[in-house]
């Protein structure tokens, strides 16, 4: 049986990408039994009825599943942050990183609008970029205006399902347009002034970009730590997690425990203090979270 990947779902049809062809498939009750609704991003087994049409027989196990936008098997998130307008925020970046890590998605940090930075701002951003690289992240400095750093992004899209994420106005649509000029996603300039969100009425769709697939709708619209437990947080900060292997106590939360290697590393400047501050803030936020029923 042929296999493929759902790249678009619309009006009861699933568009399955397989062997460089797109087959329009219907579902046939199979997944209704096990309560699986096929999602864009799903790997499926299908039966072809002819060159163009078929029906889905099976939805393979998912590696992850985002709710907004509804999409499965996301490999990678391009976290888009502007250097200025709005100003770069490590607190917000760390929040996105935690959510992405928790979903077992690989983050790529992309700092846009570098063309708008003053010399001092430029230096500051470069310092942050070095910090995050030392923490193990990929960081790209870009400008959709001058196309600085755009080419460097392509290889990271290869063979992956990527979503772009980031606050409104940071330059996600501009970046997608710069990567793929045929796309013509409207930028905030036009759409927000018309009073309608640019993506509200549209279905999510995976578009081909280079040798990868990119969701045409930004991900991680909710930034709350709904399901994350206090003990998970360590794993969502890979730099802190690496250090925590040297903590005296297993399961050390790096707050009041003695002989904590993470706190020691903050003292010596080996780990950036702001990462630890955000870790503590998020821990508190999770602690204060009202129980869900
Ligand atoms: P989105 O909401 O994240 O999709 O952001 P947009 O792509 O709509 O960009 C918001 C505004 O920032 C628009 O006015 C863009 O023209 C502008 N913009 C985006 N990227 C850049 C950039 O790299 N340099 C400059 N100078 N302006 C940019
Ligand atoms: Zn510790």
């Amino acid at each position: 049986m042929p296999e493929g990947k759902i790249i678009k779902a619309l009006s009861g049809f699933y568009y399955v990408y397989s062997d460089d062809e797109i087959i329009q498939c219907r579902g046939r009750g199979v997944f209704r039994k096990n309560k699986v609704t096929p999602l864009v991003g799903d790997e499926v087994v299908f039966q072809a009825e002819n060159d163009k049409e078929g029906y889905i027989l099976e939805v393979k196990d998912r590696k992850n599943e985002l709710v907004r936008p509804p999409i499965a098997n996301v490999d990678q998130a391009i976290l888009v942050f502007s250097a200025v307008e709005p100003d770069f925020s490590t607190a917000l970046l760390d929040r996105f990183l935690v959510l992405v890590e928790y979903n077992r998605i690989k983050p790529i940090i992309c700092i846009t609008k570098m063309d708008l930075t003053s010399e001092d701002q430029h230096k500051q951003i470069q310092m942050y970029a070095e910090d995050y690289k030392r923490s193990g992240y990929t960081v790209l400095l870009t400008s959709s205006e001058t196309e600085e750093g755009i080419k460097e992004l392509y290889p990271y899209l290869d063979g992956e399902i990527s979503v772009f994420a980031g606050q409104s106005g940071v330059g996600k649509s501009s970046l997608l347009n710069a990567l793929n000029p045929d796309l013509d996603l409207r930028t905030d300039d036009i759409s927000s002034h018309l009073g309608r969100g640019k993506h509200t009425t549209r279905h999510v769709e995976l578009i081909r970009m280079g040798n990868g697939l990119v969701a045409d709708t930004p991900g991680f619209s909710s930034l709350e730590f709904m399901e994350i437990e206090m003990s998970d947080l360590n794993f969502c900060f890979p730099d802190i997690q690496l250090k925590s292997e040297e903590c005296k106590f297993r399961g050390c939360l790096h707050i009041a425990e003695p002989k904590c290697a993470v706190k020691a590393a903050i003292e010596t400047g080996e780990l950036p203090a702001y990462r630890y501050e955000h870790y503590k803030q998020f821990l508190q936020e999770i602690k204060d979270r009202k129980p869900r029923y």
Side-chain angles (χ1 to χ4, degrees):
M1 285 297 163
E3 300 188 0
K5 195 194 292 285
I6 301 179
I7 57 161
K8 178 173 152 185
L10 197 64
S11 317
F13 287 109
Y14 301 101
Y15 296 82
V16 177
Y17 181 67
S18 172
D19 257 350
D20 254 354
E21 303 277 351
I22 293 170
I23 321 287
Q24 177 181 294
C25 291
R26 285 190 175 280
R28 274 231 177 142
V30 223
F31 18 80
R32 265 169 233 141
K33 256 186 273 164
N34 22 354
K35 292 200 164 63
V36 184
T37 305
L39 285 177
V40 167
D42 268 330
E43 298 285 346
V44 297
V45 180
F46 65 98
Q47 167 89 61
E49 291 177 311
N50 54 47
D51 280 1
K52 299 245 171 317
E53 293 164 311
Y55 53 93
I56 293 172
L57 296 172
E58 186 193 334
V59 176
K60 301 246 175 126
D61 284 346
R62 291 168 184 153
K63 143 173 158 179
N64 56 34
E65 185 181 325
L66 298 188
V67 181
R68 269 173 296 171
I71 167 169
N73 301 320
V74 176
D75 297 302
Q76 187 165 265
I78 319 292
L79 301 180
V80 185
F81 278 74
S82 47
V84 291
E85 299 180 23
D87 282 344
F88 181 71
S89 155
T90 56
L92 193 59
L93 175 55
D94 286 341
R95 182 174 286 274
F96 270 98
L97 284 171
V98 165
L99 291 162
V100 166
E101 299 276 2
Y102 183 75
N103 283 284
R104 285 181 289 155
I105 295 172
K106 186 170 63 187
I108 304 274
I109 301 167
C110 182
I111 305 179
T112 60
K113 307 198 192 184
M114 288 306 289
D115 61 296
L116 297 180
T117 55
S118 68
E119 208 172 305
D120 283 350
Q121 286 166 332
H122 201 280
K123 275 194 200 128
Q124 182 67 60
I125 294 292
Q126 269 173 330
M127 272 163 51
Y128 284 133
E130 287 312 312
D131 283 349
Y132 281 93
K133 283 181 191 168
R134 259 189 289 132
S135 297
Y137 291 109
T138 299
V139 186
L140 297 168
L141 306 183
T142 68
S143 163
S144 303
E145 195 70 26
T146 66
E147 303 204 341
E148 171 193 348
I150 302 292
K151 273 205 306 286
E152 284 80 354
L153 193 47
Y154 279 109
Y156 290 103
L157 304 175
D158 273 8
E160 310 266 6
I161 295 185
S162 304
V163 295
F164 280 65
Q167 274 177 293
S168 169
V170 293
K172 294 181 295 300
S173 328
S174 306
L175 191 60
L176 281 164
N177 285 334
L179 281 162
N180 188 348
D182 300 338
L183 262 182
D184 195 28
L185 290 175
R186 288 169 298 161
T187 59
D188 272 345
D189 270 356
I190 314 158
S191 50
S192 64
H193 291 279
L194 292 171
R196 45 188 149 95
K198 58 189 151 165
H199 293 299
T200 43
T201 57
R202 291 175 49 200
H203 279 259
V204 59
E205 182 174 342
L206 295 176
I207 43 186
R208 266 222 276 180
M209 208 170 270
N211 294 318
L213 291 166
V214 173
D216 68 342
T217 308
F220 296 94
S221 44
S222 164
L223 293 177
E224 281 170 44
F225 302 138
M226 299 293 272
E227 296 157 9
I228 304 179
E229 299 299 335
M230 283 168 74
S231 57
D232 295 329
L233 205 53
N234 196 45
F235 299 95
C236 299
F237 282 82
D239 45 356
I240 291 181
Q241 199 229 328
L242 194 64
K243 237 338 134 228
S244 74
E245 285 167 13
E246 296 163 33
C247 291
K248 181 168 193 300
F249 294 101
R250 260 219 274 164
C252 182
L253 288 176
H254 328 306
I255 302 296
E257 297 92 336
K259 301 214 166 131
C260 169
V262 171
K263 277 197 289 182
I266 302 301
E267 297 281 310
T268 62
E270 193 187 332
L271 286 178
Y274 59 86
R275 290 271 291 163
Y276 178 60
E277 285 308 311
H278 300 149
Y279 167 86
K280 281 197 297 186
Q281 280 169 26
F282 299 162
L283 200 66
Q284 192 62 43
E285 195 174 314
I286 292 168
K287 207 170 174 179
D288 294 344
R289 181 176 61 198
K290 293 196 180 66
R292 291 195 299 154
Y293 299 102

